[in-house]
Amino acid sequence: MSREGRAGRHGAAERSVVPLKPGNAGGGKGPQFKTASKVARDGRLGDLTTPVSVQKLRTALHAKAKAQPEFRFYALYDKVWRADILNYAWGCCKANRGAAGVDGQEFADIEAYGLERWLGELAQALREQKYRAEAVRRVYIKKPNGKLRPLGIPTLRDRVCQTAAMLILEPIFEADLPPEQYAYRAATGALDAVRQVHRLINTGHRQVVDADLSGYFDSIPHAELMQSVSRRVVDRRLLHLIKMWLEAPVEETDRRGRKQRTTANRDQGRGIPQGSPISPLLANLYMRRFILGWQRSRLAQRLDAKIVNYADDLVICCHLSAHEALAGMRRMMARLKLTVNEDKTRLCRVPQDSFDFLGYTFGRCYSTKTGRAYLGSKPSKKSIKRLIDSIGMLTERRHFHHEAVDLVRAINRKLIGWANYFCLGPVSHAYCAIDTYTSQRLRQWLCGKHRRRSRGYQRYPAQYLYERLSLVRLSLRTQDLPWATA
């Protein structure tokens, strides 16, 4: 079950939080909440339950790794092609959906061919060491700032194989990851990272390095990453699989529809494709190097500087000089062959300054009842704007052909997913602003659809929107909770 939030003004949540949409609803990296497997804390993936045999294996691997931090696992490859592992890996990939890879093969194609037969052939290829990774199809998705983020889409065959390997490796490395890392883990998430930052700035860590790395996934060096993997895993066949995935060619389609393959990752010896099931685990594993190095440094101890990391986003909250912490971070990142994005990295002194992290703004807040200032977190203006923009797109003229109930259903999914993540601190002002905008846009859409020359307040009053069409009203979710309007 998800934890209840505790990062309001008095450390209280506005309600129990179970993110309904594992996409990027928060405007940060997870709500990634989307992980490689999306396996929930109770061992379920939607309606997909982890088989008992898989649970037992993962529990045993984790217990061994936890009990013996220096133990190296030497016989793991044969577990990757176990029937129960591959079957569950297929279920995870299908639950995550996703587009086809370079071979154009989709889930329906495999099921038509015969799933048991297809998985059997994959197991045989792995067992006989004849499996070879295919090229990764590259697509680009638009980032909130308008820039494009490259995304790698492996073939279904590679995705199932990577997920199987991830199911074996994840419990081993989970035992080693420090608590400062919150992304792609079963027991923590983005909201836990937000709560931790909230706690730190309220316990004197008010000099903050708001750091950003340039192309983290594309910059991870293969040799050093493989050293991190082999510190725990010495099974050469499994290490060979990982190296194949790291060096897989990339196929792009230009504007004329021509396909071109490149081998930049292999040639440069760096980079892991975002979008591959195993990439989040490898990204966490390499970031662990920085966090452990930071913890052991005299600088971190002298400044009482604490890290909160989520994927490639991180903040360093310090009791003392953040300038020294930033300089130390630059030196360590350079040794790790990573690049600090100087345009986005900044120093903040709370409460004089504020900063954004994982979709929330941290800084000085004011009580609407007493006017008293306090340090807290609230949904950032960018996060609110992204939701408003998405609702605006849903209610454009080109959607007049949709039925009103279908449109409202789509809007409600957006609203609920957003509110399930943005539930910490004083959120009522944001909720009310979103309610006002959503109702206005829906009225305009209804008037346009039915060719009414009015603003629609009389024809489509609030009672019609919220009772007849069942539009979600976010402000009602917190009206009985005093800290929501603190």
Side-chain angles (χ1 to χ4, degrees), residues 418-465:
W418 192 90
N420 278 339
Y421 179 69
F422 291 102
C423 58
L424 305 179
V427 297
S428 290
H429 287 306
Y431 284 7
C432 288
I434 292 167
D435 282 345
T436 299
Y437 177 82
T438 303
S439 60
Q440 289 176 348
R441 286 292 301 185
L442 183 55
R443 286 192 183 96
Q444 292 175 8
W445 184 87
L446 288 168
C447 289
K449 176 180 176 64
H450 299 292
R451 299 180 181 180
R452 305 290 184 183
R453 293 188 176 182
S454 69
R455 295 185 177 181
Y457 287 97
Q458 293 183 351
R459 180 171 292 274
Y460 306 112
Q463 184 178 7
Y464 178 84
L465 300 182

Side-chain angles (χ1 to χ4, degrees), residues 12-145:
E14 301 203 355
R15 65 186 168 280
S16 175
V17 181
V18 182
L20 298 183
K21 180 181 178 183
N24 200 14
K29 292 290 187 300
Q32 227 139 5
F33 318 148
K34 186 174 184 180
T35 66
S37 63
K38 289 189 200 169
V39 178
R41 298 175 191 180
D42 60 356
R44 294 186 65 85
L45 172 59
D47 294 328
L48 182 65
T49 305
T50 307
V52 174
S53 59
V54 176
Q55 288 186 15
K56 286 183 177 179
L57 173 61
R58 285 166 57 84
T59 300
L61 291 171
H62 179 76
K64 184 71 172 179
K66 195 74 173 176
Q68 300 184 37
E70 302 300 323
F71 184 81
R72 303 178 78 185
F73 293 81
Y74 55 87
L76 297 174
Y77 183 77
D78 62 321
K79 297 170 179 59
V80 174
W81 47 265
R82 269 177 36 171
D84 56 344
I85 295 291
L86 286 178
N87 269 288
Y88 183 60
W90 162 266
C92 292
C93 292
K94 187 174 182 181
N96 282 336
R97 298 187 295 273
V102 295
D103 60 358
Q105 196 171 51
E106 298 182 346
F107 293 102
D109 299 326
I110 294 172
E111 290 170 343
Y113 178 78
L115 176 58
E116 186 175 350
R117 177 185 173 191
W118 186 84
L119 290 175
E121 291 174 355
L122 176 57
Q124 182 178 354
L126 288 167
R127 184 168 54 251
E128 297 176 354
Q129 300 184 53
K130 295 181 179 179
Y131 165 84
R132 296 294 181 269
E134 296 284 344
V136 174
R137 183 167 71 91
R138 173 162 288 178
V139 297
Y140 293 89
I141 57 174
K142 186 172 289 187
K143 297 167 65 175
N145 59 9

Side-chain angles (χ1 to χ4, degrees), residues 44 69 82 104 108 169 233 239 272 345 362 364 376 382 393 435 450 468:
R44 294 186 65 85
R82 269 177 36 171
L169 294 172
V233 177
L239 293 174
I272 58 177
T345 299
F362 296 85
R364 182 185 281 123
K382 289 183 179 179
M393 292 179 64
D435 282 345
H450 299 292
R468 180 75 177 274

Side-chain angles (χ1 to χ4, degrees), residues 384-397:
I384 297 172
K385 184 178 184 301
R386 287 171 197 154
L387 177 64
I388 285 176
D389 289 345
S390 66
I391 292 172
M393 292 179 64
L394 283 176
T395 52
E396 290 176 346
R397 296 172 58 91

